[in-house]
Amino acid sequence: MAIKSISTSLKGLKMLVLSRSKDESIMVGDNIEIMVVGIGHNEIQLGINAPKSVPVHRKEVYGRICRERDGRGSQYLPSYRRSACAMAIRV
């Protein structure tokens, strides 16, 4: 597995980039597994095994959720959630 940190085109943000082949996984913390289950021409399919208490959304769906919630008390979200919403809305 290759691990490197790169700058993305998203305003100089850094992200960890991991190389995985089909049927290989990465772990996020102790209880979230992300597995490459399929590789197509222009897309990959990911399987995500996470506790039911952890919401999992595609980024564009998460952005819509955040926009809808903005007028209904998003200021009460923890700061890390507000930051994630801001990132999802910008893209």
Side-chain angles (χ1 to χ4, degrees):
M1 168 177 62
I3 300 176
K4 58 184 175 179
S5 178
I6 65 165
S7 291
T8 69
S9 60
L10 293 173
K11 302 182 191 223
L13 296 175
K14 301 248 184 215
M15 73 170 56
L16 178 66
V17 176
L18 303 173
S19 299
R20 300 279 65 204
S21 298
K22 187 172 183 277
D23 298 325
E24 293 182 337
S25 300
I26 63 167
M27 295 298 298
V28 179
D30 292 331
N31 57 0
I32 300 172
E33 179 182 16
I34 302 172
M35 177 182 278
V36 177
V37 295
I39 301 173
H41 180 64
N42 284 326
E43 66 181 23
I44 62 168
Q45 294 176 326
L46 300 174
I48 301 169
N49 185 6
K52 290 187 185 286
S53 62
V54 176
V56 177
H57 304 286
R58 294 189 326 261
K59 188 171 184 175
E60 65 274 13
V61 171
Y62 187 64
R64 282 197 307 264
I65 292 168
C66 290
R67 280 191 295 279
E68 289 173 7
R69 190 173 43 205
D70 264 357
R72 296 179 295 170
S74 63
Q75 68 273 17
Y76 298 110
L77 291 172
S79 61
Y80 71 91
R81 295 270 311 274
R82 287 194 304 270
S83 300
C85 279
M87 288 294 299
I89 291 171
R90 276 190 264 166
V91 175

